[in-house]
Amino acid sequence: MAARKTLGESLREHGVSRRGFLKFCAATASMMALPPSMGPVIAAALEKARRPSVIWLSFQECTGCTESLTRSHSPTVEDLIFDVISLDYHHTLQAAAGHQAEAAREQAMKDNHGEYLLIVDGSLPGPNSNPGFSTIAGISNYAMLQEAVAGAKAVVAVGTCSAFGGLPAAAPNPTGAVSVMDIVKDKPVINVPGCPPVPMVITGVLAQYLVFGKLPDLDEYHRPLAFFGQSIHDRCYRRPFYDKGLFAESFDDEGARKGWCLYRLGCKGPSTYNACATMRWNSGTSWPVESGHPCLGCSEPKFWDAGGFYEPLSAPLGTPGNTLLAAGAAGVVIGGVAATLAKHRAATAVAERQPVTVEELEQKL
Amino acid sequence: MSDPMGFLLWVKGPAFNFALAVFALGMLARLVEIFILGRKTNYAEAKGGEWGPGFKTMLTRTVADPGTFARAPFNVVVGWIWHIGFITALLLFIPHIELFRGVLGIAWPGLPNPVVDAVTAITILALVATLVHRTQHPVKKHISTPEDYLVWTVTFLPVLTGYLAYHRLVNPYPLILGLHILSVNLFLVVFPFTKLTHVFTAFIARWYNGAIFGRKGVQS
Amino acid sequence: MSRLKEIGVKVEDGEAAPAEWGNALPILHEVGHGLRQLRETGEPTVIDLHALPFGPGDEGRLFDLLGRGEVEAQIQALGPTRIWETGFPGVWLVDHRNTEDERLALHIEISSVPEILRSQREDIDDAIVRLEACIADPAGTS
């Protein structure tokens, strides 16, 4: 296999002018949420960057993350597959099927051992659950991940399922699903959660790796800070209404029509870290809050089990009203009994009162 | 439980329900006991009404008389400041109102967040000042019991963690939000068995005082 | 689930007046800052509008406030890039789009000429080579 071309060479070969390249760099900077002043740095780095080999494994997933990726418009998925990265195995997108596909995966793993980037979408049955819950070509997800991780430089967990377990791991978690992070301990893991993640965030993370050749700065949940550094709430254009105390109370009231804050309708923006508010969806058209729907918090762990989507974030889980009533009723009964006992004790004390005179006491002494 | 989000769900769910149950059970048991026990029948002829003076005393005892103010201005001023601040943050912060709606089914208008934020900052400072005063003032230090420090702690922690959570000063966010709710759970559990019950009993006691004096025909 | 059933649907006719989100004005302040810096030190500023939490209509309002100036240009490289000087000389809007006309990036560039409009050194090098080839063999027969 010939040495991989640098991206600069590859683009020039495709007849892309320097202007086009600069534009590509501007788009990349924007996508990576970097300031435009970083453009020249990116240009210098991209000029020399070599396409990394990428192996994409799909486990217990719905293909929504791949669907999202193919909606990425900057760069387009074609650019991404052919120019920016070398996507050597993705069983949904690749033309090869069956044994050929698995052979391609094994070949890529051998050729780029220690260097390739492993992308995983979907959770997988944990080491203690039945491996038969999810297999590819007769290989259990767990075995395939272990084998692929061994030669990987880093693992990118795309989507909430692979990052945190997601839907398969939601209570009662019938397949014993776990996240990539739960299994991979000896290699860097980058989580790109979201159900699905913002397409530009997926490509942005890959571009960042490509440009800087190193893994991005991560938060406590292993999420790249460039995209998950701020909460939806802090970047929301409706935030001024939250601060003023102006809320939509239902989906069709005056507040909803005026675009007021959706906190009371269950918006999980305050506890959710993602880039939706600035990157938006559908080629930058809109995002959930802009279209009038509260944030579901899909890029956070356990988001399926974190209470109703339409319940305010601060509302308690379960039915505390009933707890309060039951406990209150019990309290009334206990208080009543305690008071009755106290009264009874007082009455008994009066009835059984045995007066003692000073003389009697003195005799006893 | 192993991760911050699991911790948050636990404190919001089972732990909150437990704390709420202890609070409701304990508090109602104590109040019902107080009300049923009532007071001993007074056979003396009433020299005045009970209700009017009772309510009047509820009010007059709430405002410190000049003598008390002159003797302990710090206690009066700082005490007022943090009590008002605490109640404002508790009852008029919009996420808290949503919590009350979730538990009690009733809601009311709230204050803009920057106002609540400022009030909370003042409350934190005032509460710290009360602790410093308690440990520096010889008499106060002498009469303070472990319960006093326990009550101060469970009152202070929800305010502090709430402030930290609002400003996202601890990461990840679910951890600090969880700690905030946990501190509130602690407050609720401790509440019925310490002097925190004064939230309910202070006004009842003041009414009783006024009523007794009213019946005797004396001023209070 | 009970809350879900409470979701009402109301069909409105006509265009409601767009709400004011108040995000355009702070940008103008930043633009003003950049303009003064350009005059004093000659240093250009680029503001990435993609990274800002705009509400619906905010972008249009900003465009209206900035207005249109004397220059308009279009570049064809990896899709169209539209550039125009705003009503405030020195303040340019640069709208990068891909071949499917989807926006890649939207910048306000405060500069005497946007960088991407200039002919680039690498392209000039390439041009010299091609021009010499053209002179040597004007018919392009080889």
Side-chain angles (χ1 to χ4, degrees):
Chain A
M1 195 183 236
R4 290 177 186 281
K5 281 185 215 122
T6 66
L7 188 69
E9 289 165 354
S10 166
L11 285 172
R12 263 196 298 283
E13 227 165 67
H14 284 79
V16 175
S17 69
R18 185 70 186 176
R19 273 206 193 92
F21 181 67
L22 287 181
K23 175 174 173 174
F24 185 83
C25 293
T28 308
S30 185
M31 178 175 63
M32 289 194 289
L34 289 173
S37 57
M38 288 294 279
V41 178
I42 291 167
L46 275 181
E47 180 72 39
K48 285 187 251 110
R50 290 179 195 278
R51 302 189 307 161
S53 167
V54 171
I55 292 174
W56 183 306
L57 300 178
S58 299
F59 296 141
Q60 297 189 122
E61 47 86 45
C62 67
T63 314
C65 297
T66 298
E67 287 284 341
S68 179
L69 172 71
T70 60
R71 263 57 165 184
S72 175
H73 60 285
S74 173
T76 60
V77 72
E78 299 92 271
D79 296 335
L80 189 80
I81 293 174
F82 298 117
D83 292 330
V84 181
I85 61 169
S86 168
L87 189 53
D88 293 328
Y89 174 83
H90 185 306
H91 70 205
T92 312
L93 293 180
Q94 72 193 146
H99 294 301
Q100 280 181 332
E102 299 314 310
R105 176 173 61 81
E106 276 156 23
Q107 187 64 43
M109 276 164 52
K110 214 174 94 196
D111 291 345
N112 304 289
H113 192 86
E115 288 303 316
Y116 60 84
L117 207 55
L118 179 66
I119 301 184
V120 179
D121 69 330
S123 63
L124 58 157
N128 300 323
S129 48
N130 184 340
F133 282 133
S134 181
T135 62
I136 297 165
I139 307 166
S140 77
N141 289 170
Y142 182 72
M144 189 179 276
L145 179 67
Q146 292 289 34
E147 190 196 352
V149 162
K153 183 155 189 165
V155 187
V156 182
V158 167
T160 299
C161 294
S162 63
F164 302 130
L167 180 65
N173 192 357
T175 61
V178 296
S179 69
V180 170
M181 205 168 40
D182 289 334
I183 290 176
V184 179
K185 302 288 182 194
D186 55 346
K187 288 282 163 75
V189 177
I190 305 164
N191 283 331
V192 185
C195 194
V198 182
M200 302 266 285
V201 173
I202 307 178
T203 48
V205 170
L206 297 181
Q208 212 163 15
Y209 175 72
L210 179 78
V211 170
F212 298 114
K214 63 184 176 82
L215 302 170
D217 292 334
L218 306 175
D219 73 356
E220 290 80 359
Y221 287 127
H222 292 234
R223 298 179 293 200
L225 282 168
F227 304 100
F228 297 91
Q230 279 177 308
S231 71
I232 293 290
H233 191 57
D234 285 343
R235 297 296 276 166
C236 182
Y237 73 97
R238 295 192 186 204
R239 175 62 185 267
F241 295 110
Y242 173 82
D243 287 333
K244 283 183 211 150
L246 296 172
F247 296 90
E249 305 280 339
S250 76
F251 282 98
D252 61 343
D253 71 354
E254 199 200 352
R257 281 197 290 278
K258 284 186 173 164
W260 289 354
C261 177
L262 299 167
Y263 185 90
R264 291 193 147 154
L265 293 173
C267 187
K268 305 293 185 286
S271 62
T272 306
Y273 288 75
N274 207 336
C276 305
T278 48
M279 297 229 154
R280 300 195 179 82
W281 290 81
N282 298 323
S283 315
T285 305
S286 181
W287 62 292
V289 169
E290 186 169 339
S291 47
H293 193 281
C295 167
L296 303 180
C298 74
S299 58
E300 294 298 315
K302 292 191 168 35
F303 93 96
W304 292 102
D305 297 324
F309 289 159
Y310 301 98
E311 294 298 328
L313 183 62
S314 60
L317 301 172
T319 50
N322 294 348
T323 312
L324 197 65
L325 279 180
V332 169
V333 172
I334 292 171
V337 171
T340 314
L341 286 177
K343 275 198 162 173
H344 178 71
R345 254 199 324 274
T348 319
V350 171
E352 296 175 354
R353 192 169 75 105
Q354 292 177 325
V356 182
T357 63
V358 177
E359 292 77 18
E360 282 170 341
L361 274 177
E362 278 175 348
Q363 273 177 0
K364 278 186 187 166
L365 287 171
Chain B
M1 274 297 289
S2 53
D3 61 300
M5 198 66 185
F7 168 66
L8 175 63
L9 295 183
W10 178 75
V11 291
K12 265 180 89 167
F16 179 72
N17 272 331
F18 171 78
L20 205 61
V22 171
F23 170 76
L25 197 144
M27 216 42 241
L28 270 159
R30 296 200 72 164
L31 284 178
V32 165
E33 191 178 352
I34 289 169
F35 284 123
I36 289 183
L37 283 176
R39 305 198 77 83
K40 253 198 285 189
T41 320
N42 189 339
Y43 296 106
E45 199 175 327
K47 295 202 174 84
E50 288 189 333
W51 287 102
F55 284 117
K56 195 175 146 230
T57 308
M58 256 165 86
L59 220 68
T60 55
R61 293 270 165 115
T62 303
V63 184
D65 62 283
T68 307
F69 184 78
R71 276 193 307 278
F74 177 89
N75 289 354
V76 174
V77 173
V78 178
W80 268 96
I81 288 174
W82 85 255
H83 271 90
I84 290 175
F86 190 91
I87 292 167
T88 304
L90 172 66
L91 297 182
L92 298 179
F93 184 49
I94 285 149
H96 292 168
I97 297 173
E98 286 308 315
L99 172 66
F100 285 106
R101 194 211 292 270
V103 177
L104 304 172
I106 49 168
W108 48 85
L111 281 178
N113 289 341
V115 178
V116 178
D117 182 34
V119 166
T120 308
I122 295 168
T123 308
I124 290 175
L125 293 178
L127 275 168
V128 170
T130 61
L131 184 69
V132 172
H133 194 246
R134 186 182 283 281
T135 53
Q136 299 304 313
H137 192 275
V139 177
K140 261 190 159 176
K141 190 180 173 185
H142 183 71
I143 61 173
S144 291
T145 62
E147 187 195 321
D148 292 322
Y149 293 106
L150 173 71
V151 166
W152 183 89
T153 308
V154 297
T155 309
F156 181 69
L157 284 180
V159 189
L160 178 72
T161 53
Y163 188 81
L164 292 177
Y166 178 74
H167 288 281
R168 292 165 196 273
L169 296 172
V170 176
N171 282 319
Y173 182 72
L175 176 67
I176 186 63
L177 188 61
L179 286 174
H180 176 57
I181 299 172
L182 183 69
S183 69
V184 172
N185 290 348
L186 198 66
F187 180 83
L188 287 174
V189 168
V190 168
F191 193 103
F193 313 107
T194 56
K195 64 178 183 178
L196 284 171
T197 49
H198 78 275
V199 171
F200 294 98
T201 55
F203 289 93
I204 300 171
R206 280 171 198 165
W207 185 87
Y208 269 137
N209 268 331
I212 292 164
F213 288 128
R215 193 186 159 87
K216 288 179 178 169
V218 291
Q219 281 202 324
S220 85
Chain C
M1 288 301 282
S2 60
R3 294 287 294 271
L4 203 56
K5 288 185 192 139
E6 290 165 22
I7 299 173
V9 175
K10 179 171 166 141
V11 181
E12 282 193 342
D13 46 9
E15 282 288 308
E20 176 57 67
W21 308 98
N23 288 324
L25 218 55
I27 311 280
L28 289 189
H29 284 289
E30 204 178 331
V31 169
H33 193 77
L35 261 183
R36 276 188 289 277
Q37 182 182 303
L38 179 66
R39 203 192 51 190
E40 281 155 27
T41 68
E43 198 168 316
T45 306
V46 183
I47 302 168
D48 185 358
L49 293 178
H50 229 195
L52 295 168
F54 272 0
D58 267 338
E59 189 182 291
R61 197 164 300 107
L62 180 68
F63 283 12
D64 288 347
L65 285 169
L66 288 172
R68 287 274 187 163
E70 295 167 335
V71 187
E72 274 183 41
Q74 179 151 329
I75 294 169
Q76 286 295 342
L78 290 176
T81 292
R82 295 185 193 90
I83 299 169
W84 66 94
E85 193 173 34
T86 67
F88 304 96
V91 182
W92 300 78
L93 270 163
V94 181
D95 186 0
H96 292 299
R97 305 211 166 218
N98 67 9
T99 45
E100 279 131 54
D101 209 24
E102 292 166 327
R103 179 171 288 155
L104 297 175
L106 178 65
H107 291 165
I108 292 181
E109 197 163 334
I110 302 156
S111 163
S112 51
V113 176
E115 185 54 34
I116 199 153
L117 267 185
R118 296 176 197 274
S119 296
Q120 301 294 319
R121 195 193 160 84
E122 289 82 350
D123 291 343
I124 296 170
D125 289 348
D126 186 45
I128 292 169
V129 173
R130 283 194 295 118
L131 192 68
E132 277 168 2
C134 181
I135 292 166
D137 182 14
T141 47
S142 62

